């Protein structure tokens, strides 16, 4: 099985005075404002200002009450490694002092594996859109059918990620989900979609702290290997 080698960078920021409403969206807004000329940071086309719907190469997470994380792959990793020492973040018009800034970079393996790899969702996974939400409700009384449906969407998330990484899977991707609903996630004004927490297994290497599914650039669907 062919594995792809990718450059990965993690920028960890320990902050003081982070607002309780701090989010990956606000963190993306801060970096997007700093680097307005680089689409990779803000995920909007510079000419039309429309959202770019490709899987992002830079993602933003609020890990806990005082730690923020920016994760990047491929070209995004090289851009992230060039970020200078920051004195503060500005989130929702509030300045947060950056106490510590650590950058970690490495070359990682990405792709199909011979055996399943086990992951947990650190942040809610948002797999459904308005169309397949209706199908999900139709299947909901049958757990096996529901799990199969979500597994198919999960594999689709991985395939979308593969496209931006320019990786073609040469073996079948198979997944098993063990998730539960946690209610609606408010992604934007007047847009709420169902979120899930839990675990899954898949014969694929996903980078730690990387997000899959909807709004992954803002931290949703962040995964971490188990065991």
């Amino acid at each position: 099985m062919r594995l792809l080698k990718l450059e990965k960078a993690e920028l960890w920021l320990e902050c003081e005075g982070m607002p309780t409403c701090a989010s990956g969206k606000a963190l993306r807004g801060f970096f997007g404002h700093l680097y307005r000329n680089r689409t990779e940071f803000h995920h909007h086309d510079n000419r039309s200002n429309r959202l770019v719907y490709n899987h992002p190469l830079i993602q933003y997470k609020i890990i806990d009450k005082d730690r923020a994380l920016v994760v990047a792959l491929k070209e995004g990793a090289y851009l992230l490694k060039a970020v200078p020492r920051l004195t503060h973040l500005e989130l929702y018009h509030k300045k947060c002092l950056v106490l510590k800034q650590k950058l970690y970079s490495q070359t990682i393996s990405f792709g199909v594996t011979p055996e399943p790899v086990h992951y947990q969702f650190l942040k809610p996974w948002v797999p459904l859109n308005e169309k397949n939400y209706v199908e999900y409700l139709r299947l909901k009384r049958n757990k096996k059918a529901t799990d199969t449906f979500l597994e198919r969407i999960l594999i689709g998330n991985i395939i979308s990620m593969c496209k931006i990484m320019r990786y073609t899977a040469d073996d079948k991707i198979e997944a098993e989900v063990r998730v539960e609903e946690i209610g609606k996630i408010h992604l934007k004004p007047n847009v709420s979609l169902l979120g899930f927490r839990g675990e899954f297994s898949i014969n694929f290497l996903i980078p730690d702290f990387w997000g899959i599914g909807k709004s992954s650039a803002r931290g949703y669907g962040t995964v971490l290997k188990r065991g």
Side-chain angles (χ1 to χ4, degrees):
M1 294 182 178
R2 181 179 64 90
L3 290 174
L4 187 65
K5 296 296 183 181
L6 294 179
E7 188 71 14
K8 179 190 178 190
E10 297 176 12
L11 181 64
W12 289 84
L13 301 163
E14 185 177 322
C15 304
E16 181 180 76
M18 195 136 65
T20 55
C21 61
S23 66
K25 178 182 179 181
L27 189 61
R28 182 178 69 173
F30 173 80
F31 278 90
H33 180 74
L34 279 183
Y35 299 102
R36 290 186 291 270
N37 62 327
R38 296 301 312 218
T39 298
E40 294 89 345
F41 278 99
H42 50 73
H43 315 128
H44 286 78
D45 183 88
N46 285 326
R47 294 181 179 179
S48 66
N49 201 36
R50 292 180 179 176
L51 188 66
V52 176
Y53 286 98
N54 292 337
H55 188 85
L57 292 176
I58 299 179
Q59 298 185 351
Y60 303 90
K61 338 271 177 174
I62 301 298
I63 300 301
D64 50 39
K65 65 180 182 178
D66 58 8
R67 283 193 305 162
L69 170 62
V70 186
V71 187
L73 297 175
K74 290 191 69 178
E75 296 91 341
Y78 294 107
L79 291 171
L80 189 60
K81 287 194 287 185
V83 171
R85 178 74 172 85
L86 299 171
T87 59
H88 72 278
L89 302 177
E90 188 167 343
L91 307 175
Y92 296 119
H93 308 292
K94 181 177 180 180
K95 285 190 176 182
C96 319
L97 183 66
V98 175
L99 302 176
K100 292 182 182 178
Q101 178 171 326
K102 292 286 187 179
L103 178 74
Y104 301 94
S105 66
Q106 61 180 319
T107 301
I108 62 166
S109 297
F110 174 93
V112 177
T113 58
E115 299 294 333
V117 184
H118 305 288
Y119 299 91
Q120 67 179 108
F121 284 112
L122 295 182
K123 299 291 183 179
W125 177 43
V126 186
L128 304 173
N129 55 31
E130 292 181 2
K131 183 178 179 180
N132 57 23
Y133 176 67
V134 174
E135 179 69 6
Y136 172 79
L137 290 180
R138 189 183 68 82
L139 297 170
K140 196 172 177 181
R141 293 182 181 178
N142 185 326
K143 187 178 187 309
K144 184 176 180 181
T146 302
D147 288 348
T148 299
F149 183 66
L150 291 174
E151 286 160 5
R152 192 163 69 245
I153 293 174
L154 177 66
I155 292 168
N157 292 167
I158 299 301
I159 291 171
S160 294
M161 181 170 57
C162 289
K163 289 178 181 177
I164 198 68
M165 305 304 169
R166 297 177 185 172
Y167 174 82
T168 301
D170 50 11
D171 289 275
K172 185 178 180 181
I173 301 174
E174 298 179 306
E176 179 183 347
V177 300
R178 297 174 294 281
V179 297
E180 59 182 14
E181 295 179 18
I182 59 168
K184 293 293 183 73
I185 303 293
H186 301 287
L187 298 181
K188 57 180 72 172
N190 302 318
V191 177
S192 297
L193 296 175
L194 195 59
F196 294 80
R197 280 196 186 274
E199 305 173 352
F200 65 96
S201 300
I202 191 166
N203 60 328
F204 202 96
L205 279 177
I206 307 169
D208 279 342
F209 298 107
W210 198 246
I212 59 175
K214 297 191 176 305
S215 291
S216 58
R218 296 188 284 165
Y220 291 104
T222 297
V223 306
L224 186 67
K225 292 183 191 70
R226 294 183 64 249

